[in-house]
Amino acid sequence: RDLLRQCLASLLRQPQGVPFEVIVVDNASADGAADMVAREFPQVRLVRNPANVGFSRANNRAAALARGRYLFFLNNDTVVPRHTLREFVAFADANPDVGMVGPRLRGADGEFQISYRRRPTVGALLHRVSLLRWTGLFRRAYYAYRRDAFDPDGVHQVEVLMGAAVFLPRAVFESSGRWDEQYRFGGEDIDLSTQVGRQAPLVYIGNVEVVHHGRVSS
């Protein structure tokens, strides 16, 4: 609830430079978050799911209600600096061939977070199997997937953008098949990046930054 309050305040109580709407989909939270939104942010469109339907399905429901030509999917444990939305829109307008854009993510501790990565290889996935992890056989493949390609500065075409904050045209979102609802929580950003990447480039822009607490919802 408190992190969601910070997120919404960062969007709505400082200038963002473009007209926008905010939709919050509450997945049956139990800490009063939905009531807080209704009470403190009446301009937000609030959807209360009776059960936790998962990250992908909730995102798709929000997208179906949204009216903008661009969609910005944002985790609730984020803080968005002023004029961030203007920066996204300006970049997207100037680069209509780009399919999806992601910002640099910085943790609450001030350290950069991995904001994009490669698509996982079989070796990287095998490292996550507990019996194989201890052998170290696939450790190198895993770290190449997770970290080796990340450069926090500049603008880069990438393979996978982190789902904490992704910005894309509505038309691209619809034509790529939207968020795959077979994923309940985790992996769906790899899937969306792959689907979008089949039709248009994914771009990381390091000059636009979003604070991301991380590991809150999980």
Side-chain angles (χ1 to χ4, degrees):
R1 177 190 58 199
D2 294 338
L3 288 170
L4 176 59
R5 178 187 287 118
Q6 291 179 34
C7 177
L8 293 175
S10 73
L11 285 167
L12 296 165
R13 295 177 180 169
Q14 58 182 350
Q16 288 295 339
V18 291
F20 65 98
E21 62 182 344
V22 178
I23 300 170
V24 171
V25 179
D26 183 82
N27 261 342
S29 61
D31 65 349
D35 290 339
M36 180 276 295
V37 173
R39 182 176 61 252
E40 299 181 22
F41 300 95
Q43 67 272 54
V44 168
R45 184 164 188 175
L46 174 64
V47 177
R48 300 177 187 249
N49 283 335
N52 186 346
V53 300
F55 183 76
S56 292
R57 187 175 297 179
N59 275 345
N60 284 341
R61 185 171 186 190
L65 297 172
R67 295 167 294 172
R69 61 192 175 100
Y70 292 115
L71 301 173
F72 182 36
F73 294 101
L74 185 67
N75 280 16
N76 58 340
D77 58 343
T78 54
V79 176
V80 180
R82 59 193 293 146
H83 297 306
T84 296
L85 297 185
R86 183 181 67 183
E87 296 286 343
F88 277 131
V89 170
F91 184 89
D93 282 349
N95 299 274
D97 59 321
V98 170
M100 189 160 68
V101 180
R104 179 166 63 189
L105 301 175
R106 187 188 292 269
D109 58 1
E111 297 295 321
F112 294 137
Q113 296 179 353
I114 303 300
S115 307
Y116 64 85
R117 60 178 65 138
R118 298 171 179 168
R119 282 189 294 271
T121 63
V122 172
L125 295 173
L126 287 173
H127 179 73
R128 299 298 295 167
V129 178
S130 58
L131 290 177
L132 295 173
R133 191 181 313 165
W134 302 112
T135 69
L137 290 174
F138 301 101
R139 184 177 294 116
R140 180 67 209 144
Y142 180 73
Y143 284 114
Y145 152 63
R146 288 283 293 184
R147 293 184 175 275
D148 277 3
F150 181 63
D151 175 2
D153 299 315
V155 176
H156 314 292
Q157 185 172 338
V158 301
E159 293 184 353
V160 175
L161 289 166
M162 300 298 96
V166 290
F167 182 95
L168 74 169
R170 172 194 293 280
V172 172
F173 177 71
E174 295 292 346
S175 63
S176 66
R178 304 182 294 171
W179 295 91
D180 188 336
E181 296 183 5
Q182 294 182 83
Y183 295 91
R184 182 170 177 82
F185 190 88
E188 61 283 302
D189 50 359
I190 300 174
D191 183 89
L192 182 65
S193 293
T194 301
Q195 300 307 321
V196 171
R198 286 175 174 165
Q199 60 178 304
L202 278 63
V203 175
Y204 163 82
I205 48 177
N207 62 308
V208 179
E209 189 171 280
V210 169
V211 175
H212 177 227
H213 290 269
R215 298 190 180 276
V216 173
S217 295
S218 57

